[in-house]
Amino acid sequence: MSRSVLAEGVKPREVWAWAMYDFANSAYTTTVVTAIFNAYFVAVVAGGAAWATLAWTTTQAIASIAIMLTAASVGAWADRHGNKKKLLAITTVGCVAATALLYWVGPGDVVLAMCLVAIASFFFGSGENIIAAFLPELAGDEDLGKVSGWGWSWGYLGGMSCLGLCLAWIVAAKGRGEGAESFVPAAMLITAVFFAVASAPTFLLLRERVAARPVAAAGAEFAALAQRLRRTLHEVRRFPDMARFLVCLLCYQSGVFAAIALAAIYAQEAIGFTAEDNIKLFFVVNGTAAVGAFAFGYVQDRLGHVRTIALTLAGWLLMTAIALGSDSRGQFWVAANIAGLCLGSSQSASRALVGFFAPVQRRAEFFGLWGLAMKLAAIAGPMTYGLTTWLSGGNHRLALGITGLYFVGGLLLLIGIDARRGRAAALAD
């Protein structure tokens, strides 16, 4: 790792420790949200009921609403206290504990499953916002994309690692004649332990660099936070490129989140994949996503933030077209791997651009707004898909086609965003 891309005083081991959090928390999204527990919830916990997919997307929406209501305030509090690591520790413990408790979820435990997944997803998303706020402290202005790409790519390798452990357990359990009611809950324990252990370097090695700015009393602190957030919303006209990008992000990430949350269900219902097919698919796609995040980090610093995001959105549109026309497993594998390349690159690129637009003393607050847009997208995309399948009597191809329109909207909104102008506004704050 070259020191030239790092901010002054930052050691390579700190960047590795920061990236290890992406490595750790990807275990949750990969096994719970994307590849294993979502399908288990629909088929086993909810017994394959017609409302099961909508119940799953509603659970994710509830968590996203909770994050949306708290993200900016949490970020502002972290900025004022210079205490992002403490908040990150709280969110980590919360997600790990709720994931471990999924071990006790079995057939018919719909309410318990929804509550635990909503809690785990809330803590996961809150921690995701906090760890992202460290990025501008670690990388130089010209290398945000590169360092963000390191984190995302390392994260997908973490997802692969945890999924590989779970797959090994599942294969062995099936060999012993066990069913999903046995091996999926055990996989949730594996996920929880993996997250806890892999995140330890982050808390041991990553430094807190933003100085605390406390106020005198709790009442005064609440008033200061509220005033600061009101000012951010009121002064949004001073950051027109950031504001436009947040709307753009909301649009295209709605499509991305639909793909993340429902790809396994689409593969099963529209293409005919089995549970083992899905696990193998997502194992490979995580590798593709790691390559995309790493490679596009370098592309982004050379090509520019906005052009890189436009390129990834074109890739998402290509993926949608291929998936809609797929009538064989081979074609869907092609579409899924294109999605993997775009997934890592588009998320890494968006995080880097927010860091580029964020004023130095308000980074956590701006990343809280990024998290706000991301969580709105996490509601809109999956709910659009879920409602379409419900209203159309299970037409998953129609649902994919409609959610694909979010990528078209994102491309249109991307027009007019000027990265240099956005950065100048941040420096002038």
Side-chain angles (χ1 to χ4, degrees), residues 385-400:
Y385 189 104
L387 286 170
T388 302
T389 56
W390 181 51
L391 293 173
S392 65
N395 191 332
H396 287 266
R397 292 186 188 272
L398 176 62
L400 178 62

Side-chain angles (χ1 to χ4, degrees), residues 2 4-5 15 18 135 139-140 142-153 293-302 305 348 352:
S2 172
S4 62
V5 304
V15 178
W18 172 78
L135 175 60
E142 301 302 318
D143 298 292
L144 287 168
K146 195 181 285 92
V147 176
S148 180
W150 292 344
W152 279 113
S153 61
F294 184 84
F296 272 83
Y298 288 85
V299 170
Q300 183 173 358
D301 290 331
R302 184 175 296 272
H305 301 287
S348 173

Side-chain angles (χ1 to χ4, degrees), residues 42 53 263-273 385 394 396:
V42 171
T53 298
I265 296 173
Y266 182 87
Q268 178 177 293
E269 299 297 325
I271 310 299
F273 273 42
Y385 189 104
H396 287 266

Side-chain angles (χ1 to χ4, degrees), residues 9-230:
V10 175
K11 298 179 180 179
R13 68 180 185 181
E14 287 188 79
V15 178
W16 172 77
W18 172 78
M20 278 300 295
Y21 198 83
D22 279 350
F23 184 91
N25 73 359
S26 291
Y28 174 76
T29 52
T30 303
T31 63
V32 178
V33 178
T34 306
I36 298 178
F37 194 82
N38 57 346
Y40 175 77
F41 176 86
V42 171
V44 178
V45 179
W51 44 262
T53 298
L54 185 58
W56 177 257
T57 57
T58 299
T59 301
Q60 297 299 320
I62 291 170
S64 297
I65 290 170
I67 297 168
M68 180 183 68
L69 294 175
T70 59
S73 295
V74 168
W77 188 92
D79 279 340
R80 292 188 65 79
H81 289 270
N83 214 347
K84 294 189 293 294
K85 284 180 68 175
K86 180 178 180 179
L87 286 175
L88 187 64
I90 292 171
T91 62
T92 301
V93 171
C95 186
V96 167
T99 302
L101 289 173
L102 290 174
Y103 176 80
W104 282 275
V105 171
D109 296 329
V110 175
V111 174
L112 176 61
M114 290 180 69
C115 289
L116 289 175
V117 171
I119 292 169
S121 294
F122 169 76
F123 282 119
F124 168 85
S126 298
E128 190 177 37
N129 294 344
I130 296 167
I131 195 65
F134 281 95
L135 175 60
E137 301 174 17
L138 301 174
D141 289 345
E142 301 302 318
D143 298 292
L144 287 168
K146 195 181 285 92
V147 176
S148 180
W150 292 344
W152 279 113
S153 61
W154 197 236
Y156 287 115
L157 291 176
M160 285 177 63
S161 300
C162 186
L163 190 60
L165 291 173
C166 292
L167 179 58
W169 175 266
I170 290 171
V171 170
K174 280 192 168 185
R176 296 190 297 268
E178 297 179 15
E181 298 88 344
S182 174
F183 59 69
V184 170
M188 296 303 98
L189 284 181
I190 293 171
T191 301
V193 173
F194 185 97
F195 191 167
V197 173
S199 64
T202 305
F203 299 102
L204 294 174
L205 300 176
L206 185 60
R207 287 177 53 197
E208 189 85 58
R209 285 180 165 77
V210 176
R213 291 174 290 127
V215 294
E221 172 152 326
F222 179 82
L225 288 175
Q227 181 181 8
R228 190 175 184 197
L229 292 174
R230 285 196 299 270

